[in-house]
Amino acid sequence: MAIAQQVLLRDAMRRLNLTRDLFAARIGVKRRALDTWLLPEGSQESRAMPEVVGRFVTEIVENDALLQKYAQTAQTGPLRDRIAIDNKHQLLSVDQFSRESVEELFQVADQMQPIARRQKVSRVLEGAVLGNLFFEASTRTRVSFGAAFCRLGGSVCDTTGFTFSSMAKGESIYDTSRVMSGYVDAMVIRHPEQGSVAEFAAATNIPVVNGGDGAGEHPSQALLDLYTILTEFSRLGKLLDGAHVVMAGDLKYGRTVHSLIKLLALYRGLKFTLVSPPGLEMPAHLLEKAGCNGHVIEQTHDLQKGLQGADMVYATRVQKERFAGETLEGYDEAFQVGRGIIDRCCAPDVIVMHPLPRDSREGAHDLSTDLNHDARLAIFRQADNGIPVRMAIFAVLLGVEGLVQHSMRDVTWVPPSHIGPDDSVFHGMY
Ligand code: NCD
């Protein structure tokens, strides 16, 4: 299947980190010509890009990736050693990343796209077994980690909840971790206590990935969030440096925003507007971490005020299950992110994100469903990105990322061209 020209061009702009103007100059064409090639196929103004330009763009991107790879490997060795923690190939916190290493991980995620989009299969992890240990509610994190491991040819063993694990019999984290390490080659762990995944990780030498530790961190979610932001901004011809990012909702207990603000802070000159109900503000130590690289941080309890001119809005669920005596006073419709307020306050090309699940119950005031058919809503594209990003995490931690490209074979079945009924070209499926 040929790659749609729009997808090829957008991917190229993102990978090269160039705006439309700079990209047009880089490939030696007029900005106007580039714009017509980027229009959706079938629209009146859209034009087919000459084949020679397509080949040139592919060549530039490949050369750039090779140069970056050689430069990085020559200076510093494999990515997994550079992001290691306590000399182990584990992923516990986004603090393990620099801007360079996070973008290197995303190059691996890009390589995984043909597999995630069900065009190719790979068996680089054949024989490897993943232990998915989830001691807290989960749908997408558990299943997408499992699916990512399977799509690289591995197998998955799951355990969910305390009730059906030996922890209900009083087993310690140390014992559980050491015993599981004898059975599996990597573990993903989600646990309600902050710091508990690090305790699991200390009791083993196999790769451990933090799938969420209480109100602490959720590094793989933040990585897929950042990957989504970069991909979406590239589609829109925008750069993340200098953007206005709004985080709204429960910023005190939401672990996804805790990890994401630290990752975003690796970029330059962002404006962060943090909107929360009173008492659920972003913890002070994270504000301090994000206050570097020329970022501006504003805090407010007023959503309408906070959303003015936003390039990206990241809404979150109120984490009532983690409340320690707090009450949710005054958390009413005015806190709900929905079509009306987005139309009124944000930049027209804003993207709206949410880690999901969104609380759709009456009176919850979580992200409204009235944006469901709106291209500005990126939540399903965001969730889809969980697969290539988690595949990249496993490939890097297990040291097989260099084998993936040559291991790919065509799929034998025919997947639907768009996986969701409302998906459009914006989903990057082709
Ligand atoms: C989040 C989590 O578990 O922290 N969900 C997820 O992993 N995508 C967000 C939440 O539960 O609100």
Side-chain angles (χ1 to χ4, degrees):
M1 236 180 292
I3 299 179
Q5 69 184 39
Q6 298 85 350
V7 176
L8 179 98
L9 291 168
R10 275 184 221 122
D11 272 3
M13 282 189 279
R14 179 173 59 77
R15 289 186 204 199
L16 301 169
N17 195 31
L18 295 177
T19 59
R20 276 196 192 191
D21 280 331
L22 291 173
F23 181 67
R26 175 79 177 79
I27 62 173
V29 301
K30 291 224 159 59
R31 166 69 198 257
R32 214 159 0 102
L34 176 63
D35 286 342
T36 60
W37 300 337
L38 280 161
L39 288 169
E41 242 160 78
S43 73
Q44 238 186 3
E45 316 271 278
S46 124
R47 295 285 174 275
M49 172 175 68
E51 217 185 298
V52 63
V53 179
R55 276 206 301 274
F56 184 47
V57 170
T58 311
E59 207 169 287
I60 293 179
V61 170
E62 281 172 3
N63 280 347
D64 188 73
L66 268 181
L67 280 177
Q68 281 190 34
K69 199 170 153 204
Y70 288 144
Q72 282 150 354
T73 322
Q75 283 166 18
T76 44
L79 178 56
R80 68 175 184 167
D81 290 345
R82 276 174 283 133
I83 60 168
I85 179 160
D86 298 332
N87 289 321
K88 295 184 192 181
H89 300 135
Q90 302 181 327
L91 174 56
L92 306 181
S93 161
V94 294
D95 294 340
Q96 294 168 241
F97 284 94
S98 62
R99 178 168 174 168
E100 289 70 32
S101 56
V102 89
E103 290 184 353
E104 209 179 324
L105 180 83
F106 292 164
Q107 284 171 20
V108 181
D110 284 339
Q111 271 190 31
M112 300 297 186
Q113 286 291 11
I115 309 176
R117 290 170 183 171
R118 301 137 212 228
Q119 293 159 344
K120 299 279 178 189
V121 287
S122 165
R123 304 211 59 80
V124 279
L125 286 186
E126 186 162 22
V129 179
L130 172 72
N132 237 348
L133 276 65
F134 278 67
F135 300 102
E136 230 190 17
S138 173
T139 305
R140 75 222 78 236
T141 306
R142 186 169 58 84
V143 175
S144 67
F145 266 120
F149 207 80
C150 290
R151 286 193 186 278
L152 287 171
S155 319
V156 182
C157 295
D158 270 309
T159 148
T160 43
F162 283 102
T163 326
F164 298 107
S165 87
S166 282
M167 287 203 160
K169 300 177 186 169
E171 188 171 51
S172 67
I173 286 183
Y174 183 93
D175 286 2
T176 306
S177 180
R178 172 59 190 88
V179 169
M180 288 300 298
S181 309
Y183 303 157
V184 300
D185 303 289
M187 286 191 275
V188 178
I189 297 156
R190 171 172 284 189
H191 194 281
E193 270 163 49
Q194 193 164 338
S196 54
V197 180
E199 218 180 310
F200 269 98
T204 179
N205 289 331
I206 69 166
V208 167
V209 179
N210 181 359
D213 62 325
E217 277 219 38
H218 196 342
S220 67
Q221 178 70 43
L223 288 165
L224 76 90
D225 291 340
L226 176 59
Y227 184 76
T228 304
I229 297 167
L230 293 173
T231 313
E232 296 283 320
F233 275 21
S234 152
R235 168 172 73 73
L236 298 163
K238 295 163 97 169
L239 292 181
L240 177 52
D241 289 321
H244 180 196
V245 165
V246 177
M247 295 183 171
D250 182 348
L251 307 183
K252 178 173 183 181
Y253 291 115
R255 55 192 170 199
T256 65
V257 281
H258 295 170
S259 293
L260 183 58
I261 197 166
K262 289 197 281 181
L263 266 192
L264 289 172
L266 297 175
Y267 286 74
R268 276 189 306 273
L270 271 72
K271 177 176 170 189
F272 291 110
T273 304
L274 307 175
V275 187
S276 67
L280 295 180
E281 290 86 3
M282 182 71 79
H285 71 277
L286 290 167
L287 293 177
E288 205 176 299
K289 276 219 151 171
C292 56
N293 281 352
H295 303 307
V296 173
I297 304 179
E298 282 177 14
Q299 298 191 79
T300 173
H301 301 308
D302 182 339
L303 184 66
Q304 177 138 330
K305 199 168 131 216
L307 287 179
Q308 299 301 326
D311 293 301
M312 193 281 274
V313 181
Y314 191 97
T316 63
R317 180 179 67 86
V318 173
Q319 315 269 307
K320 275 199 180 137
E321 69 275 25
R322 304 198 197 288
F323 277 20
E326 288 91 344
T327 49
L328 246 193
E329 261 164 54
Y331 188 76
D332 52 24
E333 317 67 74
F335 273 100
Q336 185 165 33
V337 175
R339 187 185 206 126
I341 199 164
I342 292 285
D343 280 344
R344 276 199 309 282
C345 305
C346 303
D349 55 358
V350 67
I351 54 164
V352 179
M353 297 176 57
H354 190 297
L356 302 180
R358 56 179 155 175
D359 188 342
S360 303
R361 286 170 293 196
E362 189 79 18
H365 306 307
D366 202 345
L367 174 64
S368 158
T369 53
D370 63 4
L371 281 163
N372 275 12
H373 305 284
D374 192 314
R376 290 172 296 179
L377 189 76
I379 58 174
F380 298 117
R381 303 190 289 274
Q382 180 186 359
D384 290 347
N385 283 334
I387 296 290
V389 170
R390 289 181 168 125
M391 288 171 81
I393 291 171
F394 287 133
V396 165
L397 291 180
L398 291 153
V400 299
E401 74 271 31
L403 304 177
V404 173
Q405 198 72 55
H406 294 293
S407 72
M408 287 192 204
R409 284 183 293 108
D410 287 344
V411 292
T412 49
W413 69 96
V414 184
S417 62
H418 297 98
I419 48 176
D422 301 318
D423 291 1
S424 67
V425 69
F426 291 111
H427 281 70
M429 303 287 294
Y430 42 82

